[in-house]
Amino acid sequence: MRAHRQKSEREPTIALINIVFLMLVFFMVAGTLAAPVDPELKLVETADLKGEAPADALVIGADGTLTHRGQPVDVAAFLAAVPAAIQTARMIPDRAAPAHTVIETARALRAAGAERVVIVTEKALQ
């Protein structure tokens, strides 16, 4: 007669893995990564303020045209008109401006000597 091997029972590792993942999801949902804003803080309302572009910024229109203070301009003329733009050049692209135009303009600003190129955008707090 042959001796039968006794099968060792396996531990239910799948159940343990499920519990660990559920705990992970719980802590991801319940935890906060940033400190909450003070509940007594009242934010400034800017709905009635007139928004204006910074005076020393290069504006890229929806059709890809470059303007500075309302006048058509190219990258070299912009950097010549705004000496501070050599340190930090600011671009304000229209939402509908072609992406390749924005990228080409940023590259042209860097190639013309701007140390830093900043894209000014709108951010909504919700």
Side-chain angles (χ1 to χ4, degrees), residues 1 7 25 34-35 60 83 85-86 96 101 114:
M1 253 201 240
K7 290 185 179 179
V25 169
I60 304 174
I86 298 297
T101 303

Side-chain angles (χ1 to χ4, degrees), residues 12-86:
T13 56
I14 299 295
L16 182 62
I17 291 171
N18 287 341
I19 291 171
V20 169
F21 278 118
L22 285 173
M23 289 175 54
L24 176 67
V25 169
F26 170 77
F27 285 115
M28 285 174 54
V29 171
T32 58
L33 297 177
V37 177
D38 184 9
E40 296 178 13
L41 178 69
K42 296 190 187 280
L43 297 175
V44 176
E45 292 183 16
T46 59
D48 297 333
L49 295 178
K50 180 182 175 189
E52 293 183 9
D56 292 331
L58 181 64
V59 178
I60 304 174
D63 57 353
T65 58
L66 304 176
T67 58
H68 177 247
R69 295 184 179 167
Q71 301 298 321
V73 71
D74 62 356
V75 170
F78 169 70
L79 290 175
V82 184
I86 298 297

